[in-house]
Amino acid sequence: MPRTSGISLTSTERVPGVPDAPGLAATGVLALAYLGLFAAVAVPSSPLFALFALLVVGAEFAVWRLAPLSAWALARVQLGLPWRWAIGAAALAALEARLSGPNTSLDVLVVVCAAVVGICGGVVEGLAQVVEYLRKSPVISRGLTLGSLVLPREPRALLHQRSRLLWPAVLVLLVVPALAAGTMLPSWLGATAAVVAAAGAVGVVVWSLVLAAETRRARPRSRVPEAVQAAVTELAPDLVLYYGGTADALYQLEMWLPTFESSGHRTLVVLRDREALRLLRPTTLPVVCIPAGTALVAFDLSTVRGALFVSNAATNIHLIRKGGMRTAFIGHGDSDKSSSRSPFTKVYDEIWVAGPAGAERYAGWETALVSDRIRLVGRPQAVAAPHRDRCPGEPATVLYAPTWEGWGDEPYHSSLPYLGVDLVRRLLETDGIRVLYRPHPLTGTRDAGVRKAHHDVVALLQDAGAQVHRDAAPTASTSPAEVDALALMDAAARSAVGGEHREPGATAEFWAEAPATTHRVVEGSWPGLSSCFEQSDALVADVSSVVSDWLALDRPLALTNPEGLDAAEFGERFPSSRAGLLVGPDLAGLDALVADLLGRQDRTRAQRSVEREHLLGTPPETGAERFRAALDQLVEQAGPVPSGF
């Protein structure tokens, strides 16, 4: 059998989130509005039908805006927008049959016009998908000068509204003929309205065809990759900072951006997800997004000597297989979590860790083969801060920064569902203590118990007068049109660094918004964790990279032990815990930490100093310099760029 060829139109679909109360209410109103149409038929009553038709259109718009999951679910059970239009048209035909008898000329005309509107809706939806495909460049960028390339304008109305552009025609088609059937309006007016609705729908189709033709002539699918490739060739990057994950975990990449911005190397950031490009925070580094593996393999990166990977994403292999560059895994935090010693690291030329503790994690049988590839490079994010002196009468600030539930089913990953609520309650009941709560960005995304505990902690703090801040950064999109490739590039071109811009001094203004005695809740990616560190006198955290970064400040800390393990066993399993106190289910370690803070004592200083060098390397303060030296060596070891570049 001969092989056939064609165009792949596959795309990643994001399921919308569960709607809130207004979204659920809009869904309920929509269902009642459609039932109301048939109730009006049963009466029969043309004014009542017209009223419910107006309600249907309003509820449809509200569901689209407030409850995208409802619209998504209806489409999956074959009750998408065209079928809901058919339900309305059928109800109108039934109303006309009851009020004026069957087979009248108005009935026939309305049915024909309804069919025209329905067909036009399908055509518009199809043309929107064609335009979306034509604009979906295999390669998009941010922060690169693309010469004389002019991006075609975004047909926003078509891509975002699609067949919903025909709702005015549907409204006219349902309301005016219904009133005419009930003799409230003359029949000729009902017929005219039906024809106008059909003509309007045809007009939208013609307009959509023009947009599709314009987009096709612009050839963005070929011209944009060519321009991006030319810009990258001119840049001649020697390093790639690679992130193969989705927008949900962008923090894994963003923690490295300042380090590479000041590295002195020509670094190119490579992403694989358009949504990640849309939500990536501002950076001076050039960024390319190449979702398809075949496109990345074909993209010319011949000048690159070293590639750095921040996570063990499955798509990493697409860059590794290109060859010609040395690869190094740098991770997204130095911790005792099992994910910090994944067997996947065998695919890299080098594994970079901060200090001796990181190297020791790879001693197990699953990762012993990589022991000769491990390099101690320091932790550039671990920056020492001046000693924090509290003013007289100012409370001591305890930062509670639990991790999330993790990708696997490992129990006790996060302390939140086990002792988080009691821990925060105990702190709030203690005079002279202010609580700063900074959960992991992914907290509660996989486990309902963790999510409930998080909400309970926030509620406790709110009852105590806490100021709650949820980062207002753009949220993940569920519509392909929301991450239109060329619109992303056009928006980034209007900003030197792209992303969401914050004015200098915004962080200082944020902390100055409330007195030093006010409890705070900080959710999201801003202000950053390091900013929270600067405001805190002590840390309570789970086993995570938060501990390593905190140790650079050389301030007291306590690690949670939600499983209640023996201290010796816990220390053997999680060596970083030796740097501080342990907080078990009885919260005894928490009481000791608070007593030290209030008494201005520091019983763990000596052991913390030892673990600080063990985790961060010697001396810990030179992490940034050591990391830059490792980058230089990585490029040198890869050898010179092939001739011709």
Side-chain angles (χ1 to χ4, degrees):
M1 180 180 294
R3 296 180 61 185
T4 59
S5 62
I7 297 175
S8 174
L9 291 176
T10 58
S11 62
T12 300
E13 182 178 32
R14 288 180 170 85
V15 179
V18 177
D20 55 13
L24 292 173
T27 304
V29 170
L30 180 64
L32 292 175
Y34 275 105
L35 291 175
L37 293 178
F38 289 96
V41 172
V43 172
S45 170
S46 59
L48 188 61
F49 186 94
L51 178 63
F52 278 113
L54 288 169
L55 189 59
V56 161
V57 174
E60 286 280 9
F61 179 79
V63 165
W64 170 58
R65 298 293 297 176
L66 303 176
L69 178 63
S70 300
W72 179 87
L74 286 170
R76 292 307 171 278
V77 296
Q78 304 305 313
L79 281 177
L81 198 54
W83 283 109
R84 298 200 294 276
W85 286 350
I87 291 173
L92 176 61
L95 177 70
E96 291 180 333
R98 292 211 61 191
L99 290 175
S100 56
N103 301 320
T104 66
S105 57
L106 180 60
D107 293 345
V108 175
L109 182 62
V110 167
V111 169
V112 171
C113 290
V116 171
V117 172
I119 292 171
C120 288
V123 173
V124 169
E125 188 73 33
L127 288 171
Q129 293 205 27
V130 169
V131 171
E132 179 188 315
Y133 170 76
L134 292 174
R135 290 177 57 86
K136 189 170 287 186
S137 169
V139 180
I140 53 179
S141 68
R142 191 173 100 182
L144 287 169
T145 302
L146 301 182
S148 60
L149 176 69
V150 178
L151 299 175
R153 63 187 179 92
E154 179 191 12
R156 189 172 181 81
L158 177 62
L159 292 180
H160 289 255
Q161 301 291 338
R162 301 188 176 230
S163 56
R164 285 182 290 270
L165 290 167
L166 272 60
W167 265 119
V170 174
L171 181 62
V172 170
L173 187 65
L174 291 179
V175 173
V176 180
L179 295 176
T183 68
M184 296 188 68
L185 293 174
S187 297
W188 67 266
L189 187 57
T192 301
V195 172
V196 168
V202 172
V204 174
V205 169
V206 173
W207 171 73
S208 301
L209 282 168
V210 171
L211 291 178
E214 289 179 354
T215 306
R216 186 174 183 274
R217 284 195 298 270
R219 297 187 297 110
R221 285 187 65 87
S222 59
R223 293 180 60 213
V224 172
E226 291 169 359
V228 174
Q229 179 66 82
V232 170
T233 301
E234 182 178 356
L235 174 69
D238 58 351
L239 288 178
V240 158
L241 179 60
Y242 180 94
Y243 175 68
T246 62
D248 298 330
L250 264 175
Y251 69 92
Q252 298 175 353
L253 169 68
E254 291 177 337
M255 68 169 61
W256 288 105
L257 295 178
T259 299
F260 282 85
E261 287 171 351
S262 60
S263 69
H265 287 272
R266 298 182 306 278
T267 302
L268 177 69
V269 179
V270 175
L271 306 179
R272 306 301 303 280
D273 181 72
R274 291 182 176 88
E275 185 82 340
L277 179 65
R278 184 174 77 92
L279 298 181
L280 182 67
R281 80 180 193 189
T283 177
T284 57
L285 297 174
V287 184
V288 296
C289 178
I290 311 177
T294 52
L296 178 60
V297 171
F299 196 79
D300 185 6
L301 293 172
S302 302
T303 63
V304 173
R305 303 291 83 204
L308 294 304
F309 298 82
V310 303
S311 65
N312 286 314
T315 60
N316 291 11
I317 198 67
H318 297 149
L319 183 61
I320 293 173
R321 66 180 291 188
K322 287 179 70 69
M325 61 187 80
R326 285 189 68 80
T327 59
F329 177 72
I330 57 176
H332 52 272
D334 196 279
S335 78
D336 292 329
K337 288 181 181 179
S338 58
S339 57
S340 294
R341 53 182 183 275
S342 169
F344 190 90
T345 53
K346 297 172 184 176
V347 303
Y348 307 109
D349 296 319
E350 299 179 11
I351 298 120
W352 291 9
V353 297
E360 292 167 5
R361 296 186 192 112
Y362 285 91
W365 65 270
E366 289 184 315
T367 53
L369 292 175
V370 304
S371 59
D372 59 338
R373 308 180 201 173
I374 296 174
R375 295 188 61 188
L376 277 59
V377 298
R379 176 77 173 153
Q381 292 88 349
V383 179
H387 179 71
R388 179 175 154 82
D389 291 319
R390 302 198 305 272
C391 299
E394 179 184 346
T397 298
V398 176
L399 169 62
Y400 178 40
T403 191
W404 71 304
E405 54 268 39
W407 294 113
D409 297 321
E410 181 181 349
Y412 306 108
H413 204 78
S414 171
S415 62
L416 270 170
Y418 302 102
L419 50 83
V421 176
D422 292 338
L423 185 152
V424 172
R425 183 181 291 114
R426 179 75 64 86
L427 290 173
L428 292 175
E429 292 172 349
T430 305
D431 293 334
I433 295 295
R434 179 180 76 144
V435 179
L436 174 55
Y437 175 54
R438 177 61 156 76
H440 190 285
L442 297 180
T443 294
T445 55
R446 293 191 65 248
D447 189 289
V450 175
R451 185 163 55 251
K452 180 181 183 304
H454 163 67
H455 291 317
D456 290 346
V457 166
V458 173
L460 271 177
L461 287 162
Q462 285 181 310
D463 291 343
Q467 184 184 78
V468 178
H469 169 79
R470 294 182 175 91
D471 188 15
T475 55
S477 165
T478 56
S479 168
E482 293 293 335
V483 286
D484 176 71
L486 303 190
L488 284 176
M489 291 182 64
D490 187 53
R494 292 192 292 269
S495 170
V497 292
E500 184 188 21
H501 178 68
R502 297 191 188 275
E503 294 297 329
T507 301
E509 292 176 3
F510 169 80
W511 292 113
E513 288 176 359
T517 56
T518 303
H519 305 296
R520 305 290 287 265
V521 176
V522 179
E523 296 185 60
S525 60
W526 185 89
L529 187 61
S530 60
S531 177
C532 295
F533 283 175
E534 294 172 4
Q535 304 295 318
S536 305
D537 299 293
L539 169 74
V540 178
D542 300 335
V543 174
S544 68
S545 62
V546 172
V547 174
S548 299
D549 291 349
W550 172 265
L551 282 175
L553 279 69
D554 197 19
R555 296 176 188 172
L557 76 150
L559 272 75
T560 61
N561 177 16
E563 191 175 0
L565 296 175
D566 175 80
E569 181 181 355
F570 194 88
E572 184 67 24
R573 188 181 300 181
F574 308 112
S576 60
S577 65
R578 299 168 185 153
L581 299 166
L582 281 187
V583 178
D586 60 356
L587 303 182
L590 181 66
D591 294 337
L593 179 69
V594 169
D596 279 1
L597 284 176
L598 297 180
R600 297 183 182 268
Q601 303 295 317
D602 190 356
R603 72 181 71 185
T604 59
R605 178 184 291 276
Q607 66 197 67
R608 187 171 67 244
S609 178
V610 174
E611 290 303 320
R612 187 167 174 258
E613 295 194 357
H614 191 222
L615 285 165
L616 301 178
T618 306
E621 293 79 7
T622 62
E625 292 80 1
R626 294 165 61 199
F627 192 86
R628 280 196 292 269
L631 290 176
D632 296 341
Q633 190 173 0
L634 183 73
V635 172
E636 293 171 2
Q637 288 178 335
V641 177
S643 59
F645 293 92

